[in-house]
Amino acid sequence: MTYDIAAPEPAGMVASLSSLGYSLPAAIADLVDNSISAKAQNIDVEFAWAGSDSWIAVVDDGDGMSQEELVTAMTVAARGPATPRSPTDLGRFGVGLKSASFSQARQLTVATACNGQWHTRTWDLDVVEKYGEWRLLHGADDDTAAILQRVRPCGGHGTVVLWRRLNGYHTTAVTEDDERTQKQFYAEATRTEAHLGMVFARFLVGTRRRALRVSGTAVQPWDPFMTVNGLFELPIDGQ
């Protein structure tokens, strides 16, 4: 049998992953999925306005990852659908973190710890496209490292997913005193809060509820089907 090796070109793959049609709330929901799978009890979604340098982070106090697990998590399609995983793992194909993130930002940084030692890796799509290689960068630049230090959870475990160079905001036309764009940015935060309250409602009630916040505001569960007199009431399924 004769054949050719037809590996996808990195820039083309990035463009494909970036155009999968995620809304910002849906992309953030993918990251919250991962936090719940990691048994996080506290999950914070942070929206920080700084003009073209605005950023969004999802911070949790879950199990975290070793360095090897982090590299696997950051690798595109590292796991197939048949790979064994826990009952709470909502992902299937190993692209959710990357596709959700690439749809919203040019720079994805993940910092994580499971035993007190923090590990950091960064995808910079400009670097991928410049060199035509999947260069997963060790650590983070100084500005990104400062943000990670500011938001990362206390204790020896947890994960921070940080988006910088946000699509639609990272441009010289967007300045920190741009009130119209700032209102748009925080309107997205409000939309995200409502979306998370619907998608993760069953994880926000009961004796084993998670604490989920958007920019410090607790996300309230709501049931679009008005199941019981307008109040949310669904089984927790052991979660």
Short mmCIF file of all heavy atoms in Angstrom, two decimals, residues 109-166:
data_model
loop_
_atom_site.label_atom_id
_atom_site.label_comp_id
_atom_site.label_asym_id
_atom_site.label_seq_id
_atom_site.Cartn_x
_atom_site.Cartn_y
_atom_site.Cartn_z
N THR A 109 -3.20 30.95 27.87
CA THR A 109 -2.23 30.51 28.87
C THR A 109 -2.95 29.71 29.95
O THR A 109 -4.02 30.13 30.42
CB THR A 109 -1.51 31.71 29.52
OG1 THR A 109 -0.83 32.46 28.51
CG2 THR A 109 -0.50 31.24 30.56
N VAL A 110 -2.39 28.58 30.32
CA VAL A 110 -2.95 27.76 31.39
C VAL A 110 -1.88 27.55 32.45
O VAL A 110 -0.77 27.11 32.13
CB VAL A 110 -3.45 26.39 30.86
CG1 VAL A 110 -3.98 25.55 32.03
CG2 VAL A 110 -4.54 26.59 29.81
N ALA A 111 -2.22 27.89 33.69
CA ALA A 111 -1.35 27.61 34.83
C ALA A 111 -2.10 26.65 35.75
O ALA A 111 -3.29 26.83 36.00
CB ALA A 111 -1.02 28.90 35.58
N THR A 112 -1.41 25.63 36.24
CA THR A 112 -2.09 24.62 37.03
C THR A 112 -1.15 24.00 38.04
O THR A 112 0.08 23.99 37.85
CB THR A 112 -2.67 23.53 36.10
OG1 THR A 112 -3.50 22.62 36.84
CG2 THR A 112 -1.56 22.74 35.41
N ALA A 113 -1.72 23.48 39.13
CA ALA A 113 -0.94 22.80 40.16
C ALA A 113 -1.80 21.71 40.78
O ALA A 113 -3.01 21.89 40.96
CB ALA A 113 -0.48 23.77 41.25
N CYS A 114 -1.20 20.59 41.10
CA CYS A 114 -1.92 19.52 41.80
C CYS A 114 -1.23 19.13 43.10
O CYS A 114 -1.80 18.41 43.91
CB CYS A 114 -2.10 18.30 40.90
SG CYS A 114 -0.56 17.57 40.31
N ASN A 115 -0.01 19.59 43.30
CA ASN A 115 0.74 19.21 44.50
C ASN A 115 1.58 20.37 45.03
O ASN A 115 2.62 20.15 45.64
CB ASN A 115 1.63 18.00 44.20
CG ASN A 115 2.59 18.27 43.05
OD1 ASN A 115 2.65 19.39 42.54
ND2 ASN A 115 3.34 17.25 42.65
N GLY A 116 1.12 21.58 44.77
CA GLY A 116 1.83 22.75 45.26
C GLY A 116 2.79 23.37 44.27
O GLY A 116 3.22 24.51 44.46
N GLN A 117 3.13 22.65 43.21
CA GLN A 117 4.05 23.18 42.21
C GLN A 117 3.26 23.59 40.97
O GLN A 117 2.58 22.79 40.35
CB GLN A 117 5.11 22.14 41.83
CG GLN A 117 6.14 22.67 40.84
CD GLN A 117 7.24 21.66 40.56
OE1 GLN A 117 7.23 20.55 41.10
NE2 GLN A 117 8.20 22.04 39.73
N TRP A 118 3.39 24.88 40.61
CA TRP A 118 2.64 25.41 39.48
C TRP A 118 3.40 25.22 38.17
O TRP A 118 4.61 25.40 38.13
CB TRP A 118 2.32 26.89 39.70
CG TRP A 118 1.25 27.08 40.73
CD1 TRP A 118 1.40 27.13 42.08
CD2 TRP A 118 -0.15 27.18 40.47
NE1 TRP A 118 0.19 27.25 42.69
CE2 TRP A 118 -0.79 27.30 41.73
CE3 TRP A 118 -0.93 27.20 39.31
CZ2 TRP A 118 -2.17 27.43 41.85
CZ3 TRP A 118 -2.30 27.33 39.43
CH2 TRP A 118 -2.92 27.44 40.69
N HIS A 119 2.65 24.85 37.14
CA HIS A 119 3.20 24.67 35.80
C HIS A 119 2.40 25.55 34.84
O HIS A 119 1.17 25.67 34.98
CB HIS A 119 3.12 23.22 35.35
CG HIS A 119 3.75 22.25 36.31
ND1 HIS A 119 5.12 22.12 36.45
CD2 HIS A 119 3.19 21.38 37.19
CE1 HIS A 119 5.38 21.20 37.36
NE2 HIS A 119 4.23 20.73 37.82
N THR A 120 3.08 26.14 33.87
CA THR A 120 2.42 27.07 32.94
C THR A 120 2.84 26.78 31.51
O THR A 120 4.02 26.55 31.23
CB THR A 120 2.79 28.53 33.29
OG1 THR A 120 2.45 28.79 34.66
CG2 THR A 120 2.05 29.50 32.38
N ARG A 121 1.85 26.79 30.62
CA ARG A 121 2.09 26.66 29.19
C ARG A 121 1.24 27.68 28.45
O ARG A 121 0.15 28.04 28.90
CB ARG A 121 1.77 25.24 28.69
CG ARG A 121 2.71 24.15 29.21
CD ARG A 121 4.10 24.30 28.65
NE ARG A 121 4.97 23.19 29.00
CZ ARG A 121 5.70 23.13 30.12
NH1 ARG A 121 5.63 24.14 31.00
NH2 ARG A 121 6.47 22.10 30.36
N THR A 122 1.73 28.12 27.29
CA THR A 122 1.06 29.17 26.52
C THR A 122 1.00 28.81 25.04
O THR A 122 2.00 28.40 24.46
CB THR A 122 1.80 30.52 26.68
OG1 THR A 122 1.76 30.93 28.05
CG2 THR A 122 1.17 31.60 25.80
N TRP A 123 -0.19 28.99 24.47
CA TRP A 123 -0.35 28.99 23.02
C TRP A 123 -0.42 30.44 22.57
O TRP A 123 -1.30 31.19 23.01
CB TRP A 123 -1.63 28.29 22.58
CG TRP A 123 -1.58 26.79 22.51
CD1 TRP A 123 -2.38 25.90 23.16
CD2 TRP A 123 -0.69 26.00 21.71
NE1 TRP A 123 -2.04 24.61 22.84
CE2 TRP A 123 -1.02 24.65 21.95
CE3 TRP A 123 0.34 26.32 20.82
CZ2 TRP A 123 -0.34 23.60 21.32
CZ3 TRP A 123 1.02 25.27 20.21
CH2 TRP A 123 0.67 23.93 20.46
N ASP A 124 0.49 30.84 21.71
CA ASP A 124 0.45 32.15 21.07
C ASP A 124 0.24 31.90 19.58
O ASP A 124 1.14 31.37 18.91
CB ASP A 124 1.75 32.92 21.32
CG ASP A 124 1.72 34.33 20.78
OD1 ASP A 124 1.15 34.54 19.69
OD2 ASP A 124 2.27 35.23 21.45
N LEU A 125 -0.93 32.21 19.09
CA LEU A 125 -1.26 31.87 17.71
C LEU A 125 -0.40 32.62 16.70
O LEU A 125 -0.18 32.14 15.59
CB LEU A 125 -2.75 32.10 17.44
CG LEU A 125 -3.70 31.25 18.29
CD1 LEU A 125 -5.14 31.42 17.83
CD2 LEU A 125 -3.30 29.77 18.26
N ASP A 126 0.10 33.79 17.08
CA ASP A 126 1.03 34.49 16.19
C ASP A 126 2.32 33.69 16.01
O ASP A 126 2.88 33.64 14.92
CB ASP A 126 1.36 35.88 16.75
CG ASP A 126 0.18 36.83 16.68
OD1 ASP A 126 -0.79 36.52 15.96
OD2 ASP A 126 0.22 37.88 17.36
N VAL A 127 2.78 33.06 17.09
CA VAL A 127 3.99 32.23 17.02
C VAL A 127 3.74 30.99 16.15
O VAL A 127 4.57 30.61 15.31
CB VAL A 127 4.46 31.82 18.43
CG1 VAL A 127 5.58 30.78 18.37
CG2 VAL A 127 4.92 33.05 19.21
N VAL A 128 2.57 30.35 16.35
CA VAL A 128 2.23 29.16 15.56
C VAL A 128 2.22 29.50 14.08
O VAL A 128 2.78 28.77 13.24
CB VAL A 128 0.86 28.60 16.00
CG1 VAL A 128 0.41 27.48 15.06
CG2 VAL A 128 0.93 28.07 17.43
N GLU A 129 1.59 30.61 13.75
CA GLU A 129 1.48 30.99 12.33
C GLU A 129 2.82 31.45 11.76
O GLU A 129 3.14 31.18 10.61
CB GLU A 129 0.42 32.07 12.18
CG GLU A 129 -0.99 31.55 12.47
CD GLU A 129 -2.05 32.63 12.39
OE1 GLU A 129 -1.68 33.82 12.25
OE2 GLU A 129 -3.25 32.29 12.46
N LYS A 130 3.63 32.12 12.57
CA LYS A 130 4.92 32.61 12.09
C LYS A 130 5.86 31.46 11.74
O LYS A 130 6.53 31.48 10.69
CB LYS A 130 5.57 33.50 13.15
CG LYS A 130 6.96 34.00 12.77
CD LYS A 130 7.55 34.90 13.87
CE LYS A 130 8.94 35.39 13.48
NZ LYS A 130 9.53 36.26 14.54
N TYR A 131 5.93 30.45 12.60
CA TYR A 131 6.89 29.35 12.40
C TYR A 131 6.29 28.13 11.72
O TYR A 131 7.03 27.22 11.34
CB TYR A 131 7.51 28.96 13.74
CG TYR A 131 8.37 30.06 14.34
CD1 TYR A 131 7.87 30.88 15.34
CD2 TYR A 131 9.65 30.29 13.87
CE1 TYR A 131 8.65 31.90 15.88
CE2 TYR A 131 10.44 31.31 14.40
CZ TYR A 131 9.93 32.11 15.41
OH TYR A 131 10.69 33.13 15.93
N GLY A 132 4.96 28.09 11.60
CA GLY A 132 4.33 26.93 10.97
C GLY A 132 4.50 25.66 11.78
O GLY A 132 4.52 24.56 11.22
N GLU A 133 4.62 25.81 13.10
CA GLU A 133 4.81 24.67 14.00
C GLU A 133 3.96 24.87 15.25
O GLU A 133 3.71 26.01 15.67
CB GLU A 133 6.28 24.53 14.42
CG GLU A 133 7.24 24.23 13.29
CD GLU A 133 8.69 24.18 13.77
OE1 GLU A 133 9.00 24.78 14.83
OE2 GLU A 133 9.50 23.54 13.08
N TRP A 134 3.56 23.75 15.85
CA TRP A 134 2.79 23.82 17.10
C TRP A 134 3.77 24.01 18.27
O TRP A 134 4.07 23.08 19.00
CB TRP A 134 1.96 22.56 17.28
CG TRP A 134 0.82 22.46 16.32
CD1 TRP A 134 0.74 21.66 15.22
CD2 TRP A 134 -0.41 23.19 16.37
NE1 TRP A 134 -0.45 21.84 14.57
CE2 TRP A 134 -1.18 22.78 15.26
CE3 TRP A 134 -0.93 24.15 17.23
CZ2 TRP A 134 -2.45 23.29 15.00
CZ3 TRP A 134 -2.19 24.68 16.96
CH2 TRP A 134 -2.93 24.25 15.87
N ARG A 135 4.25 25.22 18.43
CA ARG A 135 5.21 25.54 19.49
C ARG A 135 4.47 25.92 20.76
O ARG A 135 4.03 27.06 20.93
CB ARG A 135 6.15 26.66 19.05
CG ARG A 135 7.05 26.29 17.89
CD ARG A 135 8.13 27.34 17.67
NE ARG A 135 9.03 26.95 16.57
CZ ARG A 135 10.14 27.60 16.26
NH1 ARG A 135 10.50 28.68 16.96
NH2 ARG A 135 10.91 27.19 15.26
N LEU A 136 4.33 24.98 21.67
CA LEU A 136 3.69 25.22 22.96
C LEU A 136 4.73 25.84 23.88
O LEU A 136 5.70 25.19 24.27
CB LEU A 136 3.15 23.91 23.54
CG LEU A 136 2.44 24.00 24.88
CD1 LEU A 136 1.23 24.94 24.81
CD2 LEU A 136 2.00 22.60 25.34
N LEU A 137 4.54 27.10 24.23
CA LEU A 137 5.56 27.85 24.95
C LEU A 137 5.56 27.52 26.43
O LEU A 137 4.50 27.40 27.06
CB LEU A 137 5.33 29.35 24.76
CG LEU A 137 5.23 29.84 23.31
CD1 LEU A 137 4.96 31.34 23.28
CD2 LEU A 137 6.51 29.50 22.53
N HIS A 138 6.76 27.39 26.99
CA HIS A 138 6.90 27.19 28.43
C HIS A 138 6.71 28.52 29.14
O HIS A 138 7.25 29.55 28.72
CB HIS A 138 8.28 26.63 28.76
CG HIS A 138 8.50 25.24 28.27
ND1 HIS A 138 9.53 24.44 28.70
CD2 HIS A 138 7.81 24.49 27.38
CE1 HIS A 138 9.48 23.27 28.10
NE2 HIS A 138 8.45 23.28 27.29
N GLY A 139 5.98 28.52 30.24
CA GLY A 139 5.83 29.73 31.03
C GLY A 139 4.95 30.76 30.35
O GLY A 139 4.09 30.45 29.53
N ALA A 140 5.19 32.04 30.69
CA ALA A 140 4.39 33.14 30.16
C ALA A 140 5.22 34.41 30.18
O ALA A 140 6.20 34.51 30.93
CB ALA A 140 3.12 33.32 30.99
N ASP A 141 4.83 35.39 29.36
CA ASP A 141 5.52 36.67 29.38
C ASP A 141 5.24 37.38 30.70
O ASP A 141 4.37 36.98 31.48
CB ASP A 141 5.06 37.53 28.20
CG ASP A 141 3.57 37.83 28.25
OD1 ASP A 141 3.17 38.75 28.96
OD2 ASP A 141 2.80 37.10 27.57
N ASP A 142 5.97 38.44 30.98
CA ASP A 142 5.91 39.10 32.28
C ASP A 142 4.51 39.62 32.61
O ASP A 142 4.02 39.46 33.73
CB ASP A 142 6.91 40.25 32.35
CG ASP A 142 8.36 39.76 32.39
OD1 ASP A 142 8.56 38.56 32.66
OD2 ASP A 142 9.26 40.58 32.15
N ASP A 143 3.85 40.25 31.64
CA ASP A 143 2.51 40.80 31.90
C ASP A 143 1.51 39.68 32.21
O ASP A 143 0.67 39.81 33.10
CB ASP A 143 2.03 41.62 30.70
CG ASP A 143 2.80 42.92 30.55
OD1 ASP A 143 3.45 43.35 31.52
OD2 ASP A 143 2.75 43.51 29.44
N THR A 144 1.60 38.60 31.44
CA THR A 144 0.71 37.47 31.68
C THR A 144 1.00 36.82 33.02
O THR A 144 0.07 36.48 33.77
CB THR A 144 0.85 36.44 30.54
OG1 THR A 144 0.50 37.05 29.30
CG2 THR A 144 -0.03 35.22 30.78
N ALA A 145 2.27 36.68 33.36
CA ALA A 145 2.65 36.09 34.65
C ALA A 145 2.11 36.91 35.81
O ALA A 145 1.68 36.36 36.83
CB ALA A 145 4.16 35.96 34.74
N ALA A 146 2.10 38.23 35.66
CA ALA A 146 1.58 39.09 36.72
C ALA A 146 0.08 38.87 36.92
O ALA A 146 -0.41 38.85 38.06
CB ALA A 146 1.87 40.55 36.39
N ILE A 147 -0.65 38.70 35.81
CA ILE A 147 -2.09 38.42 35.92
C ILE A 147 -2.31 37.08 36.59
O ILE A 147 -3.17 36.94 37.48
CB ILE A 147 -2.75 38.46 34.54
CG1 ILE A 147 -2.65 39.86 33.93
CG2 ILE A 147 -4.21 38.02 34.63
CD1 ILE A 147 -3.10 39.93 32.48
N LEU A 148 -1.55 36.07 36.20
CA LEU A 148 -1.69 34.73 36.80
C LEU A 148 -1.45 34.79 38.30
O LEU A 148 -2.18 34.17 39.09
CB LEU A 148 -0.72 33.76 36.14
CG LEU A 148 -0.96 33.43 34.66
CD1 LEU A 148 0.18 32.57 34.13
CD2 LEU A 148 -2.30 32.74 34.47
N GLN A 149 -0.43 35.51 38.71
CA GLN A 149 -0.11 35.63 40.13
C GLN A 149 -1.26 36.30 40.88
O GLN A 149 -1.57 35.94 42.03
CB GLN A 149 1.18 36.43 40.30
CG GLN A 149 1.67 36.54 41.74
CD GLN A 149 2.08 35.19 42.32
OE1 GLN A 149 2.60 34.32 41.61
NE2 GLN A 149 1.86 35.00 43.61
N ARG A 150 -1.90 37.23 40.23
CA ARG A 150 -2.98 37.99 40.85
C ARG A 150 -4.24 37.16 41.04
O ARG A 150 -4.94 37.29 42.06
CB ARG A 150 -3.28 39.21 39.99
CG ARG A 150 -4.55 39.97 40.30
CD ARG A 150 -4.68 41.15 39.35
NE ARG A 150 -6.05 41.61 39.23
CZ ARG A 150 -6.45 42.51 38.35
NH1 ARG A 150 -5.58 43.02 37.50
NH2 ARG A 150 -7.72 42.88 38.29
N VAL A 151 -4.55 36.28 40.08
CA VAL A 151 -5.85 35.60 40.13
C VAL A 151 -5.79 34.15 40.60
O VAL A 151 -6.84 33.59 40.93
CB VAL A 151 -6.53 35.63 38.74
CG1 VAL A 151 -6.70 37.05 38.26
CG2 VAL A 151 -5.77 34.79 37.71
N ARG A 152 -4.62 33.55 40.62
CA ARG A 152 -4.58 32.11 40.88
C ARG A 152 -5.07 31.80 42.30
O ARG A 152 -4.90 32.60 43.22
CB ARG A 152 -3.19 31.55 40.64
CG ARG A 152 -2.19 31.74 41.74
CD ARG A 152 -0.85 31.15 41.34
NE ARG A 152 0.07 31.10 42.45
CZ ARG A 152 1.36 30.76 42.36
NH1 ARG A 152 1.87 30.47 41.16
NH2 ARG A 152 2.12 30.71 43.42
N PRO A 153 -5.71 30.64 42.47
CA PRO A 153 -6.32 30.30 43.77
C PRO A 153 -5.28 30.05 44.85
O PRO A 153 -4.13 29.68 44.55
CB PRO A 153 -7.11 29.03 43.45
CG PRO A 153 -6.39 28.42 42.28
CD PRO A 153 -5.89 29.58 41.47
N CYS A 154 -5.69 30.25 46.08
CA CYS A 154 -4.82 29.93 47.20
C CYS A 154 -4.74 28.40 47.34
O CYS A 154 -5.62 27.67 46.90
CB CYS A 154 -5.37 30.54 48.50
SG CYS A 154 -5.47 32.33 48.47
N GLY A 155 -3.69 27.94 47.96
CA GLY A 155 -3.53 26.51 48.14
C GLY A 155 -2.65 25.90 47.07
O GLY A 155 -2.18 26.59 46.16
N GLY A 156 -2.47 24.60 47.15
CA GLY A 156 -1.53 23.92 46.28
C GLY A 156 -2.14 23.23 45.10
O GLY A 156 -1.49 22.38 44.47
N HIS A 157 -3.39 23.57 44.76
CA HIS A 157 -4.01 22.92 43.60
C HIS A 157 -5.01 23.87 42.96
O HIS A 157 -5.53 24.79 43.60
CB HIS A 157 -4.69 21.61 44.00
CG HIS A 157 -5.76 21.78 45.06
ND1 HIS A 157 -7.05 22.05 44.76
CD2 HIS A 157 -5.67 21.73 46.41
CE1 HIS A 157 -7.75 22.15 45.87
NE2 HIS A 157 -6.93 21.96 46.89
N GLY A 158 -5.27 23.63 41.68
CA GLY A 158 -6.21 24.46 40.95
C GLY A 158 -5.68 24.78 39.56
O GLY A 158 -4.57 24.39 39.19
N THR A 159 -6.49 25.50 38.80
CA THR A 159 -6.13 25.81 37.42
C THR A 159 -6.62 27.21 37.05
O THR A 159 -7.71 27.62 37.46
CB THR A 159 -6.75 24.78 36.44
OG1 THR A 159 -6.24 23.48 36.75
CG2 THR A 159 -6.43 25.11 34.99
N VAL A 160 -5.81 27.91 36.28
CA VAL A 160 -6.20 29.20 35.71
C VAL A 160 -6.10 29.08 34.19
O VAL A 160 -5.05 28.69 33.67
CB VAL A 160 -5.28 30.35 36.18
CG1 VAL A 160 -5.72 31.67 35.54
CG2 VAL A 160 -5.25 30.45 37.70
N VAL A 161 -7.18 29.40 33.50
CA VAL A 161 -7.17 29.52 32.05
C VAL A 161 -7.32 31.00 31.72
O VAL A 161 -8.32 31.61 32.09
CB VAL A 161 -8.31 28.71 31.40
CG1 VAL A 161 -8.28 28.88 29.88
CG2 VAL A 161 -8.21 27.24 31.77
N LEU A 162 -6.34 31.56 31.06
CA LEU A 162 -6.30 33.00 30.81
C LEU A 162 -6.30 33.28 29.31
O LEU A 162 -5.47 32.73 28.57
CB LEU A 162 -5.05 33.59 31.44
CG LEU A 162 -4.76 35.08 31.18
CD1 LEU A 162 -5.88 35.96 31.72
CD2 LEU A 162 -3.42 35.47 31.80
N TRP A 163 -7.24 34.13 28.89
CA TRP A 163 -7.31 34.58 27.50
C TRP A 163 -6.82 36.01 27.42
O TRP A 163 -7.34 36.90 28.11
CB TRP A 163 -8.74 34.54 26.97
CG TRP A 163 -9.35 33.19 26.84
CD1 TRP A 163 -8.72 31.98 26.83
CD2 TRP A 163 -10.75 32.90 26.70
NE1 TRP A 163 -9.62 30.97 26.68
CE2 TRP A 163 -10.88 31.50 26.60
CE3 TRP A 163 -11.89 33.68 26.65
CZ2 TRP A 163 -12.12 30.87 26.45
CZ3 TRP A 163 -13.13 33.07 26.50
CH2 TRP A 163 -13.23 31.68 26.40
N ARG A 164 -5.84 36.26 26.55
CA ARG A 164 -5.39 37.62 26.26
C ARG A 164 -5.43 37.84 24.74
O ARG A 164 -5.55 36.90 23.98
CB ARG A 164 -3.98 37.85 26.80
CG ARG A 164 -3.88 37.69 28.32
CD ARG A 164 -2.56 38.25 28.85
NE ARG A 164 -2.49 39.71 28.67
CZ ARG A 164 -1.34 40.39 28.65
NH1 ARG A 164 -0.18 39.75 28.76
NH2 ARG A 164 -1.36 41.70 28.50
N ARG A 165 -5.30 39.11 24.34
CA ARG A 165 -5.43 39.49 22.93
C ARG A 165 -6.78 38.99 22.40
O ARG A 165 -6.87 38.23 21.45
CB ARG A 165 -4.25 38.99 22.11
CG ARG A 165 -2.90 39.40 22.67
CD ARG A 165 -1.85 39.65 21.62
NE ARG A 165 -1.68 38.60 20.67
CZ ARG A 165 -0.86 37.55 20.82
NH1 ARG A 165 -0.12 37.43 21.93
NH2 ARG A 165 -0.75 36.65 19.88
N LEU A 166 -7.83 39.46 23.06
CA LEU A 166 -9.19 39.00 22.78
C LEU A 166 -9.65 39.45 21.40
O LEU A 166 -9.44 40.60 21.00
CB LEU A 166 -10.15 39.55 23.83
CG LEU A 166 -9.86 39.15 25.28
CD1 LEU A 166 -10.81 39.91 26.22
CD2 LEU A 166 -10.02 37.64 25.47
#
